[in-house]
């Protein structure tokens, strides 16, 4: 087949007009239609590396994907108009491809590894095609496989329904295990539900997957945090295996003076509050009419600034101690934030929160920074410029500085060894020092990508099935 990437220009998903999209929390991107998806699929050169089993020697889309999805194969099926085949291939290795297609940093992963990305023509729009395959398949009545035809044996408890837990439960169901999920919140999905804004990932997309899992036999216990040693011990005793997918739930502070002031929030509190408003759990808004300063430069910070805009904030600033090139988040999210009116302040570090007599936030004291000599990792250190203090008037400060793990009290009693960060230590099969207990995702590695958590959950499920004697 003639290579089309020279003739067909690269296209990404179209965006809703900025004046329209900042008025609501509906998705920003417009999904590919049939013509757009097929045209972009035709740009793929279907790298033959798989045939020669040279994945360790060459870099291409599949090696750039932590899940090692069968990307060339399902794109080829799209070219051929075989949505059913593309759908099955897409779901074979991924627990929720329609979610990954929306939230993965494709430019750094599969698309960044695409062979034609190295040319002036640009990569195949893999993420947009991935979403198209799932949504078109759903329209045609296709459903993911959850082991509905299997006679279920053994019982596995999954603690946490975020990306790792959801992935683990998916592949356990496919393998014929009985699965029960214990979720601390009032809705399943963890980070996918309350940590990623609706304008990036509509919650109907997440809840649809859980509905199918329940139809296949999964039991989901909501508002069920595992807090005590006795609660965890009961689960370990009642189930044949346990998977811990509790994430990294503790938001980091900035170690500023007056950080406990009224009007200082951790990013997850703000994102959860905003999503509950989308769910119409309540109407009050903590950001409307406020001057908001968000500290941080990752995707959570971009979620916070863009959520603030949609919540009716008067002004929104993003304060980051390095330059734009060093921001760790997705570049397209920074572009979107700028389009939507966010003001960026680079080379700026927070120093103290200004408060009034009632300890309400009235501003933030910042310092200018510069980049110095590289550290041991090769990244240049941040240095504060002496005497560069200045103030930003604001009513709300949002800390989007990353997340830490929590050493739950039941780890020690259950003989689960942890590292210095409080993460369970696991072997190559995601098994902890308690042979019945497995763990994965942010719970074992700290805050990371959704796709990395999904891979951990999938591979842990395979190990659990093997441990239980259920793996084919």
């Amino acid at each position: 087949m003639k290579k089309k990437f020279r003739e067909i220009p690269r296209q990404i998903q179209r965006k809703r007009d900025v004046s329209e999209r900042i008025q609501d929390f509906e998705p920003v991107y417009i999904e590919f239609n049939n013509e757009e998806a097929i045209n972009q699929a035709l740009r793929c050169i279907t790298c033959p590396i798989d045939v020669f089993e040279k994945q360790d020697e060459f870099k291409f889309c599949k090696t750039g994907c932590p899940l090692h999805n069968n990307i060339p194969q399902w794109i080829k099926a799209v070219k051929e108009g075989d949505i059913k085949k593309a759908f099955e291939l897409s779901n074979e290795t991924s627990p929720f491809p329609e979610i990954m297609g929306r939230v993965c940093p494709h430019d750094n992963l599969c698309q960044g590894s695409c062979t034609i990305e190295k040319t002036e023509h640009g990569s195949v729009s893999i993420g947009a095609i991935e979403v198209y395959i799932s949504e078109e398949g759903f329209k045609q009545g296709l459903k993911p496989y959850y082991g509905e035809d299997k006679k279920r044996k053994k019982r596995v408890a999954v603690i946490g329904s975020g990306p790792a837990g959801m992935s683990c439960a998916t592949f356990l169901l496919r393998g014929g295990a009985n699965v029960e999920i214990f979720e601390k919140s009032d809705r399943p999905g963890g980070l996918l539900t309350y940590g990623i804004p609706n304008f990036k990932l509509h919650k109907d997309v997440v809840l649809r997957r859980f509905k199918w899992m329940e139809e296949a036999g999964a039991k989901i216990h909501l508002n069920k945090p595992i807090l005590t040693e006795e609660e965890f011990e009961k689960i370990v005793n009642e189930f044949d295996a346990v998977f811990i997918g509790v994430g990294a739930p503790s938001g980091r502070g900035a170690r500023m003076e007056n950080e406990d002031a009224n009007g200082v929030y951790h990013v997850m509190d703000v994102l959860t509050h905003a999503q509950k408003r989308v769910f119409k759990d309540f109407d009050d808004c903590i950001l409307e009419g406020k001057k908001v300063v968000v500290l941080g430069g990752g995707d959570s910070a971009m979620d916070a600034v863009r959520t603030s805009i949609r919540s009716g904030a008067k002004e929104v600033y993003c304060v980051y101690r390095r330059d734009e090139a060093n921001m760790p988040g997705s570049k397209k999210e920074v572009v979107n934030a700028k389009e939507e009116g966010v003001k960026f302040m680079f080379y700026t570090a927070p120093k103290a929160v200004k408060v009034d007599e009632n300890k309400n936030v009235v501003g933030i004291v910042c310092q200018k920074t510069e980049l110095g000599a590289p550290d041991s990792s090769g990244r240049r250190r941040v240095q504060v410029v002496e005497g560069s203090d200045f103030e930003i008037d604001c009513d709300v400060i949002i800390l989007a500085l990353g997340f830490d793990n929590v050493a739950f009290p039941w780890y020690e009693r259950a003989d689960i060894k942890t590292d210095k960060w409080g993460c369970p230590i696991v072997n190559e099969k995601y098994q902890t020092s308690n042979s019945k207990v497995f763990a994965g995702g942010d719970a074992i590695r700290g805050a990371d990508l959704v796709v990395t958590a999904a891979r951990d959950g999938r591979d842990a499920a395979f190990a659990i099935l093997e441990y239980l004697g259920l793996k084919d």
Side-chain angles (χ1 to χ4, degrees):
M1 182 181 291
K2 188 177 180 181
K3 307 307 180 189
K4 298 282 189 179
F5 68 89
R6 295 185 183 91
E7 302 170 15
I8 301 174
R10 183 176 189 268
Q11 179 184 342
I12 62 173
Q13 290 171 317
R14 291 168 286 124
K15 292 187 281 191
R16 295 166 60 208
D17 183 80
V18 65
S19 62
E20 174 191 341
R21 72 186 195 234
I22 63 172
Q23 302 300 323
D24 58 43
F25 281 80
E26 291 303 301
V28 168
Y29 290 95
I30 300 168
E31 295 163 13
F32 275 175
N33 58 34
N34 291 349
E35 181 181 358
E36 290 169 329
I38 292 171
N39 274 339
Q40 293 306 299
L42 287 169
R43 300 184 70 249
C44 176
I45 63 175
T46 315
C47 297
I49 298 170
D50 275 352
V51 177
F52 301 106
E53 299 181 351
K54 297 288 186 181
Q55 291 186 27
D56 293 336
E57 300 177 30
F58 296 93
K59 179 180 176 183
F60 72 122
C61 59
K62 186 171 181 178
T63 64
C65 172
L67 286 165
H68 290 291
N69 286 330
N70 299 311
I71 298 168
Q73 290 86 347
W74 48 250
I75 289 182
K76 184 173 183 288
V78 172
K79 293 182 193 179
E80 297 167 348
D82 192 343
I83 292 298
K84 184 174 186 294
K85 181 178 180 181
F87 183 89
E88 290 172 350
L89 285 167
S90 178
N91 277 273
E92 184 178 351
T93 53
S94 176
F96 30 73
E98 73 279 15
I99 293 175
M100 298 300 188
R102 290 173 165 97
V103 304
C104 264
H106 305 98
D107 289 344
N108 299 329
L109 299 174
C110 57
Q111 291 175 187
S113 301
C114 174
T115 301
I116 62 172
E117 167 65 14
K118 305 167 185 65
T119 74
E120 69 273 19
H121 303 286
S123 71
V124 176
S125 300
I126 296 169
I129 297 172
E130 187 174 29
V131 173
Y132 164 80
I133 291 169
S134 287
E135 297 301 336
E136 184 62 25
F138 298 151
K139 289 176 189 175
Q140 295 183 18
L142 302 177
K143 285 178 60 176
Y145 174 65
Y146 285 106
E148 293 89 344
D149 57 340
K150 292 185 179 290
K151 185 175 181 180
R152 302 206 178 278
K153 304 173 183 177
K154 306 292 187 179
R155 298 176 67 214
V156 182
V158 174
I159 301 176
S161 66
M166 186 179 177
S167 177
C168 186
T170 295
F171 288 95
L172 287 171
L173 288 167
R174 292 185 190 180
N178 284 299
V179 177
E180 295 191 34
I181 302 172
F182 296 82
E183 167 56 46
K184 67 179 181 180
S185 297
D186 59 343
R187 292 178 176 90
L191 170 77
L192 299 175
T193 297
Y194 284 125
I196 298 177
N198 209 64
F199 55 80
K200 287 173 64 176
L201 177 62
H202 201 287
K203 302 316 157 191
D204 287 349
V205 174
V206 179
L207 299 177
R208 176 173 58 191
R209 281 273 169 178
F210 283 101
K211 178 185 175 185
W212 285 330
M213 291 166 72
E214 286 185 296
E215 289 173 353
K219 295 181 181 178
I220 303 174
H221 305 280
L222 299 176
N223 297 306
K224 189 65 177 176
I226 307 303
L227 300 175
T228 68
E229 297 171 343
E230 291 75 19
E231 287 173 324
F232 186 72
E233 186 174 47
K234 184 172 185 289
I235 286 175
V236 173
N237 290 335
E238 288 184 1
F239 289 82
D240 299 296
V242 179
F243 176 76
I244 298 172
V246 293
S250 177
R252 288 180 189 157
R255 299 177 182 175
M256 297 183 294
E257 182 183 349
N258 294 323
E259 195 169 309
D260 60 343
N262 303 317
V264 178
Y265 301 97
H266 286 285
V267 65
M268 274 300 298
D269 295 331
V270 171
L271 297 179
T272 298
H273 187 276
Q275 185 55 46
K276 283 182 174 287
R277 288 184 66 237
V278 173
F279 281 136
K280 301 192 185 305
D281 288 355
F282 46 72
D283 294 324
D284 66 300
C285 180
I286 58 176
L287 302 173
E288 187 174 5
K290 307 291 187 182
K291 292 183 178 180
V292 178
V293 170
V294 176
L295 306 180
D299 283 342
S300 291
M302 295 307 99
D303 292 344
V305 294
R306 298 179 69 200
T307 291
S308 299
I309 290 287
R310 286 161 174 78
S311 299
K314 186 176 181 180
E315 288 182 281
V316 181
Y317 292 88
C318 177
V319 169
Y320 183 56
R321 60 183 185 154
R322 298 177 183 270
D323 59 359
E324 183 172 351
N326 276 285
M327 294 183 81
S330 170
K331 305 306 178 190
K332 71 177 183 180
E333 294 304 308
V334 178
V335 170
N336 288 335
K338 286 182 177 179
E339 290 176 353
E340 293 166 6
V342 176
K343 300 171 184 176
F344 285 81
M345 302 187 71
F346 297 111
Y347 293 113
T348 303
K351 181 179 180 181
V353 178
K354 286 189 66 181
V355 297
D356 63 14
E357 63 277 8
N358 296 316
K359 211 168 184 181
N360 297 314
V361 171
V362 295
I364 183 169
V365 179
C366 296
Q367 299 170 300
K368 300 306 292 182
T369 64
E370 59 186 11
L371 299 182
D375 59 19
S376 58
S377 70
R379 197 177 192 202
R380 295 176 66 187
R381 293 183 175 89
V382 175
Q383 299 176 168
V384 172
V385 177
E386 294 298 328
S388 63
D389 293 16
F390 68 99
E391 298 177 6
I392 305 172
D393 292 336
C394 62
D395 310 297
V396 170
I397 298 169
I398 302 174
L399 307 178
L401 302 169
F403 301 90
D404 290 321
N405 292 76
V406 173
F408 291 94
W410 29 270
Y411 284 161
E412 184 175 358
R413 179 159 165 178
D415 192 31
I416 297 172
K417 294 180 180 178
T418 58
D419 61 20
K420 63 181 180 180
W421 295 283
C423 304
I425 298 171
V426 298
N427 61 19
E428 69 280 0
K429 293 189 175 182
Y430 296 90
Q431 193 171 32
T432 70
S433 49
N434 182 326
S435 62
K436 285 183 71 173
V437 181
F438 297 73
D442 291 0
I444 65 168
R445 64 177 72 251
D448 208 320
L449 301 174
V450 170
V451 67
T452 309
R455 181 197 61 200
D456 286 356
R458 180 193 67 184
D459 294 351
F462 293 157
I464 293 169
L465 292 169
E466 182 179 5
Y467 170 78
L468 298 176
L470 297 178
K471 189 174 182 182
D472 294 333

